[in-house]
Amino acid sequence: MKPSIPKGTRDFLPHEVRRRNYIFDVIRKFFHRYGYQPIETPVMENLSTLTGKYGEEGDRLLFKVLNNGDFLRKADAGKLAEQDSDAVLPQISKRGLRYDLTVPFARYVVMHQNDLAFPFKRYAIAPVWRADRPQKGRYNEFYQCDADVVGSDSLLYEAELTQLLDGVFAALGLKAVIRLNNRKILAGLAEIAGHQDRMMDITIAIDKLDKIGEAGVEKELRERGVDDAAIDTIKQFLGVTSLERVAPLLESSEIGRQGIEELQAVFDTIGQTTNKVEFDVTLARGLNYYTGCIYEVAVDTDAHPGVKMGSIAGGGRYADLTGIFGGRDLPGVGISFGAERIYDVLEELDLFPADASEDLEYLLLCLDDESLAHGFELVGKLRQAGRNADLYPSAAKLGKMMKYADQRNAPKVIIIGSEEVKTGSYSVKTMKTGEQETKSLSELVAWPK
């Protein structure tokens, strides 16, 4: 059989892994800077933990894990014959791959609440799985980089997370637009449209505005049972770009006014940023658990024209996520970086630093067997001194070894022959410039990286 991997997953070559680690390291640095602590949770959760937390579309995208052993043994034969998947599923699958890092975090907090100091600030950098249709920037397996704070309803955390988002993208050299909204504003919109009971239908539809356009949103609203008068009311909001303009539209809605006040307080607190921070009334974030401020980050196409990519980060506030697991009600707010999409954008724009694909400092090439023994001793000394070094494992033709050095993307090559063994002075070639210098061991150890 020809080897393959599942659609929607990827292998990564060494230079790609190093570039991904560069992104993770930048994000992790800012998590630490802002006082977030690392935790880990299993890749699998009980399906009871995951289902009902992401909305109807999210539930459909959960990867289910079959029970161990003969998983059909306890399945209802009649339901199997009827091909009733919903009825059979609880009998054959009790676990699923995590869809995100937020719901597992809520479960974690409830289970460990007596061991944590609140407000509890955590981060996690780990893979998640979604059974979506793979396309550019959308994979079945991908990494998320999350930061959450739970146990406080202070709006200072919304401002802090906005600053954190801004700092990360500034450090990556990627111009971004950080869009903010508040689910209470959307609840107010549903209220004045006369469809408080259809808030999720409305938010799911308008969240797709950038993908399907206003006509598409209007069509989906009708399909979800929203009447024409309500649609006309909703359409008044779609073109509004400032809190000042949306406020009069929500004057009759108490929850809508509350959402405006909260979001205004966040904007007043954020301060100066490198990237654009904007209000977007159409931003809905189609996940059920968001109840307050919501975030979405996209590439700034004014600064990076031609880049076509969906959101590269997002998040929001949740008031009662921990309560659904039987714990005390702990409000929280969090953000998540889409590492895969960030990688694709940085690669497309050639924004990775030159050394992000390198970790090797020296590659030693030996011209004969006597030099090879000396080279093995030398590479050991370089490693002990804290330098990243490797040795070509045999004495071969120089052209063959130099080709290997190119393939390894080695920045500096140390060529060792009988003269170098005798004198302890080594010929070092900088591959990028072709410049050759003679260095002693102490000079090699001290040479700036």
Side-chain angles (χ1 to χ4, degrees), residues 270-286:
I270 290 168
Q272 189 172 358
T273 59
T274 301
N275 295 284
K276 297 174 184 175
V277 181
E278 300 177 348
F279 166 64
D280 184 355
V281 73
T282 67
L283 174 60
R285 301 294 295 170

Side-chain angles (χ1 to χ4, degrees), residues 4 53 156 169 370 412:
S4 64
K53 313 305 188 303
L156 290 178
F169 288 110
E370 180 188 2
K412 289 183 171 60

Side-chain angles (χ1 to χ4, degrees), residues 114-303:
N114 295 328
D115 304 315
L116 304 175
F118 295 99
F120 178 58
K121 300 172 74 172
R122 87 82 164 91
Y123 79 83
I125 298 175
V128 298
W129 292 265
R130 297 183 185 178
D132 212 345
R133 183 172 63 86
Q135 53 186 289
K136 181 184 178 184
R138 190 183 296 275
Y139 306 98
N140 293 146
E141 179 187 56
F142 57 97
Y143 268 72
Q144 285 188 335
C145 309
D146 282 19
D148 286 83
V149 54
V150 67
S152 173
D153 56 9
S154 171
L155 295 174
L156 290 178
Y157 285 121
E158 272 83 340
E160 175 180 282
L161 289 169
T162 306
Q163 292 175 345
L164 196 158
L165 287 165
D166 179 60
V168 165
F169 288 110
L172 291 172
L174 180 60
K175 292 293 184 182
V177 180
I178 304 169
R179 298 189 175 97
L180 276 72
N181 197 8
N182 193 300
R183 288 294 281 264
K184 293 174 184 176
I185 292 175
L186 296 170
L189 186 160
E191 182 182 344
I192 67 167
H195 283 287
Q196 283 177 280
D197 59 331
R198 294 188 179 275
M199 178 191 164
M200 283 310 302
D201 288 315
I202 292 171
T203 57
I204 288 170
I206 69 173
D207 196 39
K208 299 176 182 177
L209 180 66
D210 59 338
K211 299 186 183 77
I212 61 178
E214 188 172 314
V217 170
E218 191 173 336
K219 179 184 176 186
E220 180 156 342
L221 286 169
R222 281 200 183 88
E223 290 172 351
R224 290 177 176 270
V226 180
D227 60 71
D228 287 347
I231 290 173
D232 289 340
T233 300
I234 293 166
K235 286 167 66 176
Q236 293 179 47
F237 287 79
L238 299 185
V240 177
T241 58
S242 69
L243 279 172
E244 292 77 10
R245 286 184 57 199
V246 82
L249 299 175
L250 291 173
E251 186 61 35
S252 62
S253 170
E254 182 179 350
I255 192 169
R257 293 196 308 271
Q258 185 179 351
I260 290 172
E261 290 169 6
E262 289 181 1
L263 202 51
Q264 189 62 61
V266 174
F267 276 108
D268 291 344
T269 309
I270 290 168
Q272 189 172 358
T273 59
T274 301
N275 295 284
K276 297 174 184 175
V277 181
E278 300 177 348
F279 166 64
D280 184 355
V281 73
T282 67
L283 174 60
R285 301 294 295 170
L287 298 181
N288 277 354
Y289 52 68
Y290 291 130
T291 57
C293 183
I294 46 179
Y295 303 85
E296 193 155 278
V297 184
V299 176
D300 184 349
T301 53
D302 291 335

Side-chain angles (χ1 to χ4, degrees), residues 326-337:
R328 57 193 172 107
D329 187 11
L330 292 170
V333 60
I335 56 172
S336 178
F337 292 89

Side-chain angles (χ1 to χ4, degrees), residues 213-442:
E214 188 172 314
V217 170
E218 191 173 336
K219 179 184 176 186
E220 180 156 342
L221 286 169
R222 281 200 183 88
E223 290 172 351
R224 290 177 176 270
V226 180
D227 60 71
D228 287 347
I231 290 173
D232 289 340
T233 300
I234 293 166
K235 286 167 66 176
Q236 293 179 47
F237 287 79
L238 299 185
V240 177
T241 58
S242 69
L243 279 172
E244 292 77 10
R245 286 184 57 199
V246 82
L249 299 175
L250 291 173
E251 186 61 35
S252 62
S253 170
E254 182 179 350
I255 192 169
R257 293 196 308 271
Q258 185 179 351
I260 290 172
E261 290 169 6
E262 289 181 1
L263 202 51
Q264 189 62 61
V266 174
F267 276 108
D268 291 344
T269 309
I270 290 168
Q272 189 172 358
T273 59
T274 301
N275 295 284
K276 297 174 184 175
V277 181
E278 300 177 348
F279 166 64
D280 184 355
V281 73
T282 67
L283 174 60
R285 301 294 295 170
L287 298 181
N288 277 354
Y289 52 68
Y290 291 130
T291 57
C293 183
I294 46 179
Y295 303 85
E296 193 155 278
V297 184
V299 176
D300 184 349
T301 53
D302 291 335
H304 305 298
V307 174
K308 295 181 179 179
M309 182 61 74
S311 63
I312 52 177
R317 175 166 286 279
Y318 37 89
D320 55 3
L321 194 59
T322 52
I324 59 178
F325 293 120
R328 57 193 172 107
D329 187 11
L330 292 170
V333 60
I335 56 172
S336 178
F337 292 89
E340 317 297 339
R341 290 186 174 188
I342 293 171
Y343 181 100
D344 289 347
V345 171
L346 293 182
E347 188 170 55
E348 181 178 347
L349 296 173
D350 195 24
L351 291 178
F352 282 107
D355 60 355
S357 298
E358 301 173 357
D359 59 0
L360 188 64
E361 298 176 75
Y362 297 117
L363 178 64
L364 282 61
L365 309 179
C366 302
L367 302 179
D368 53 47
D369 289 338
E370 180 188 2
S371 306
L372 187 63
H374 183 85
F376 187 74
E377 182 181 347
L378 178 62
V379 78
K381 291 178 180 178
L382 288 169
R383 290 166 176 167
Q384 288 172 3
R387 304 308 295 257
N388 299 344
D390 202 0
L391 171 73
Y392 192 80
S394 62
K397 291 183 178 180
L398 186 59
K400 178 181 178 181
M401 294 190 291
M402 290 298 288
K403 181 180 178 181
Y404 178 76
D406 280 331
Q407 293 171 329
R408 285 292 308 272
N409 201 27
K412 289 183 171 60
V413 166
I414 301 173
I415 302 170
I416 304 174
S418 56
E419 185 65 23
E420 285 75 16
V421 172
K422 184 168 64 177
T423 63
S425 293
Y426 305 100
S427 178
V428 186
K429 182 174 182 178
T430 301
M431 297 295 283
K432 192 172 288 185
T433 64
E435 182 182 2
Q436 273 191 230
E437 303 173 66
T438 301
K439 299 285 183 181
S440 65
L441 172 59
S442 60

